[in-house]
Amino acid sequence: MVNIEQIASEALAKIDGADISALEVLRLEYLGKSGVLTQILKSLSQYSTEEKKVFGSMANKAKSDIEKAIENKKENLKKAALDEKMLKEKLDPSPAFYFPFSKGSLHPILQTIDGICCVFKSLGFSVAEGPEIETDWYNFEALNIPKDHPARDAQDTFYLEGMNNLLRTHTSPGQIHVMEKQVPPVKVIVPGRVYRNEASDASHSSTFHQIEGLAVGENITFADLKNVLAQFVHKFFGNDLDIRFRPSYFQFTEPSAEVDIQCFFCKGKGCRVCKNSGWIETLGCGMVHPNVLKAVNYDAEKYSGYAFGIGVERVAMLKYGIDDIRLFYENDLRFLKQF
Ligand code: DAH
């Protein structure tokens, strides 16, 4: 009997060194119709049953080893050929090759909204949203701004058919929506886009963003408002900045105030940004007017609250030192990529 193991090991060595066409020749030489192993298997009939068992299993093992070795080698040769081809053609199979766009990021206005919301969430506020199309009631009446009141002049907007629907001029109607759905205590912020019928220039835009704040409950005082806004300013702009409250007027708060932050460019010394005053006007606030509480059927004797409104663009411009609001809306990548 021929030495099957030796035949097999010679075959495996030849396969190992073969190229793709030599592989086919080897396959025929060993496994083909008149191949070496086929012949051995055929010749088994002349042996005794015992010998058949031993030689048969050796020959079958050799056959399957050679088959496997040929398949493996074929795969390896194909892969090597592909690698070489890709190298030659400089083909980059990574996803970037098929998707040659750089990664996007959040718009600076959205980043500012996220940053402000994050601070207020840490102070126990939840976040709500309201519709951009409002009725006259939510945008004005319920906020103690009756029809024909001159306060409406400062908030001219875009009206939809019938004059009762309009694009909201501020996020303050968000206060009404929240209070209609919820009994006190309420502690919420409402970020969103707002509109005014206004020509655009370096500091005005007909579309911009605000964040409304509202807290209503028992025994809420102006001291709570001062505390919450001081914490916001210190967490968002920096611990070392002073703030001051200036008396002001809003229809939906009484008393009302505007909050100035010590100018963080000059730390109060006076510079171009703060127009030499040392202070930067940042937001409006006050104690919720009893008429607003009545509009949502809250007991104005039992409950009190504070509200505030932050201009997002204004905050972003201060924080990043931007001097023209229009830059936010032009989609100029040279500007946006800086954030
Ligand atoms: N809604 C005001 C505006 O757009 C901003 C504002 C001021 C909101 C005082 C408030 C507030 O909640 O208390 O001009």
Side-chain angles (χ1 to χ4, degrees):
M1 181 66 191
V2 289
N3 187 338
I4 297 178
E5 277 171 352
Q6 195 187 341
I7 291 173
S9 81
E10 275 169 15
L12 295 178
K14 284 190 213 161
I15 290 166
D16 197 38
D19 62 14
I20 201 91
S21 55
L23 268 188
E24 183 55 17
V25 176
L26 287 171
R27 195 184 65 77
L28 290 171
E29 184 182 332
Y30 286 94
L31 311 172
K33 254 191 189 155
S34 44
V36 181
L37 278 163
T38 323
Q39 292 304 322
I40 293 173
L41 285 163
K42 271 188 195 156
S43 69
L44 287 180
S45 54
Q46 54 184 299
Y47 295 103
S48 68
T49 323
E50 257 332 280
E51 286 168 327
K52 261 189 211 157
K53 246 193 195 164
V54 180
F55 292 140
S57 86
M58 279 168 80
N60 277 325
K61 182 175 181 307
K63 189 179 167 204
S64 95
D65 284 353
I66 291 170
E67 269 168 1
K68 271 189 210 141
I70 290 176
E71 277 317 304
N72 279 346
K73 183 72 186 177
K74 230 188 229 168
E75 281 304 308
N76 290 344
L77 286 173
K78 271 191 201 158
K79 194 171 168 297
L82 193 66
D83 284 350
E84 201 184 307
K85 187 167 173 248
M86 289 213 283
L87 209 63
K88 263 199 215 135
E89 293 175 359
K90 289 216 175 348
L91 189 72
D92 181 354
S94 62
F97 174 80
Y98 300 105
F99 195 77
F101 306 107
S102 46
K103 212 168 126 192
S105 61
L106 291 184
H107 191 280
I109 290 299
L110 214 49
Q111 287 186 35
T112 308
I113 290 175
D114 279 356
I116 297 172
C117 288
C118 197
V119 171
F120 281 107
K121 279 196 264 183
S122 78
L123 297 173
F125 286 77
S126 55
V127 182
E129 278 184 315
E132 287 179 26
I133 296 178
E134 280 293 5
T135 59
D136 189 89
W137 162 258
Y138 283 102
N139 199 77
F140 294 124
E141 294 272 348
L143 289 162
N144 197 32
I145 314 176
K147 285 195 179 61
D148 304 325
H149 193 281
R152 288 203 181 193
D153 282 354
Q155 302 208 2
D156 191 18
T157 184
F158 303 96
Y159 286 85
L160 288 90
E161 57 296 345
M163 293 293 280
N164 193 42
N165 291 334
L166 48 89
L167 295 185
R168 65 177 174 195
T169 56
H170 48 181
T171 43
S172 303
Q175 295 184 23
I176 307 298
H177 287 292
V178 169
M179 288 191 283
E180 274 181 348
K181 286 192 208 98
Q182 206 181 314
V183 292
V186 168
K187 208 173 172 190
V188 71
I189 49 169
V190 187
R193 190 176 295 145
V194 300
Y195 304 84
R196 301 267 169 108
N197 182 11
E198 214 154 43
S200 65
D201 61 25
S203 49
H204 294 91
S205 163
S206 57
T207 305
F208 55 104
H209 301 78
Q210 293 186 335
I211 295 183
E212 193 74 17
L214 174 75
V216 179
E218 286 179 60
N219 303 318
I220 291 188
T221 68
F222 205 96
D224 298 310
L225 171 63
K226 282 186 92 167
N227 171 45
V228 127
L229 291 180
Q231 292 209 50
F232 160 65
V233 169
H234 292 151
K235 284 185 188 222
F236 192 77
F237 289 103
N239 264 328
D240 49 341
L241 294 171
D242 256 352
I243 62 170
R244 72 175 185 190
F245 286 71
R246 257 184 309 109
S248 186
Y249 174 79
F250 299 103
Q251 288 283 121
F252 33 88
T253 45
E254 180 60 34
S256 303
E258 265 168 86
V259 177
D260 300 336
I261 309 180
Q262 195 180 38
C263 175
F264 36 84
F265 293 102
C266 64
K267 293 275 182 308
K269 287 193 197 76
C271 69
R272 210 168 58 90
V273 177
C274 60
K275 301 195 186 86
N276 279 320
S277 70
W279 296 95
I280 295 177
E281 199 184 304
T282 319
L283 56 95
C285 63
M287 300 307 289
V288 180
H289 196 291
N291 285 351
V292 176
L293 298 176
K294 284 177 199 154
V296 294
N297 294 321
Y298 275 12
D299 183 348
E301 296 293 326
K302 187 172 174 198
Y303 298 116
S304 58
Y306 60 75
F308 54 87
I310 303 173
V312 177
E313 275 79 353
R314 184 163 180 77
V315 165
M317 288 167 83
L318 292 172
K319 190 157 169 116
Y320 299 121
I322 296 162
D323 60 4
D324 193 324
I325 196 171
R326 289 168 292 197
L327 285 164
F328 289 125
Y329 316 116
E330 286 168 349
N331 276 340
D332 186 335
L333 288 182
R334 289 169 303 180
F335 171 74
L336 295 175
K337 274 183 173 169
Q338 296 175 56
F339 301 93

